[in-house]
Amino acid sequence: ELGSGWSTFLPGGVEDDMEVLAETIARIKQRAAANGRDPGSLQFFAMVFIVLAETDEAAWKLARHPVPAWMAIAAASITSAETWKKWGYEHPLGEFAWPKDASVTTVGGDLARELADKVPDVVTDHSFVWGSPERVAKRCKAYIDAGITHLSFWNYGACADPASDKHFLPLM
């Protein structure tokens, strides 16, 4: 009735599932139309967790760093433990969901590094849009094709290596 769109974070806001993303956007548009609103006037915003580098190999190395790995633990989705199970893995913190367990994100560096080593490659892949500009563009196009109208990028490569930030904008 009142909203002008929807906002999420990707890939985790929809468990890296493009069908869920497209269905959610379609459902919001249907509700808007049912309330006399023009669905075409709605905006769909996504903050994208991104690790961008010159090559896929360089981006993958940054994505596997403990800081981004921690985000794969804490924000693979809103209910990370359930999402890890969906992907076939046990979450290293048990039944973790960041809305109720946010204090866990204050763990010390040694524990964060230890936990980062327990993040399976598949979970890292699902938790970030990572790679060269070509790979990242292809992945982001899927979001646009699903109905996202605005993308904003959270540069997790710089969390792994602050010096990589100087390459971020030129690669975009």
Side-chain angles (χ1 to χ4, degrees):
E1 275 180 52
L2 302 174
S4 60
W6 179 65
S7 178
T8 189
F9 72 99
L10 295 173
V14 294
E15 299 177 328
D16 195 26
D17 188 327
M18 292 305 97
E19 286 183 29
V20 170
L21 179 59
E23 289 169 4
T24 300
I25 290 171
R27 192 171 51 251
I28 293 167
K29 287 181 175 184
Q30 289 168 353
R31 288 182 182 167
N35 283 288
R37 304 280 308 281
D38 173 13
S41 71
L42 300 178
Q43 297 181 28
F44 296 91
F45 172 83
M47 178 179 64
V48 182
F49 291 179
I50 187 171
V51 179
L52 180 67
E54 292 84 357
T55 66
D56 291 345
E57 294 78 17
W60 183 251
K61 182 178 178 184
L62 294 170
R64 293 298 299 166
H65 182 275
V67 175
W70 180 248
M71 290 309 295
I73 292 169
S77 74
I78 294 171
T79 56
S80 288
E82 290 177 23
T83 301
W84 277 51
K85 283 180 188 171
K86 176 182 170 181
W87 296 334
Y89 299 94
E90 289 297 318
H91 195 279
L93 296 174
E95 294 303 313
F96 181 86
W98 65 260
K100 69 177 183 62
D101 300 317
S103 63
V104 177
T105 61
T106 60
V107 301
D110 290 339
L111 179 56
R113 281 185 284 283
E114 178 184 325
L115 292 172
D117 290 339
K118 296 179 181 184
V119 177
D121 288 351
V122 170
V123 173
T124 299
D125 185 48
H126 278 302
S127 298
F128 294 97
V129 173
W130 64 271
S132 65
E134 295 79 18
R135 187 177 196 284
V136 167
K138 182 178 178 183
R139 187 108 180 254
C140 288
K141 184 175 182 323
Y143 300 147
I144 293 165
D145 291 345
I148 293 294
T149 59
H150 297 78
L151 298 172
S152 174
F153 300 107
W154 187 302
N155 179 9
Y156 272 93
C159 295
D161 177 8
S164 73
D165 189 53
K166 68 182 176 185
H167 302 289
F168 188 77
L169 286 177
L171 291 172
M172 290 299 291

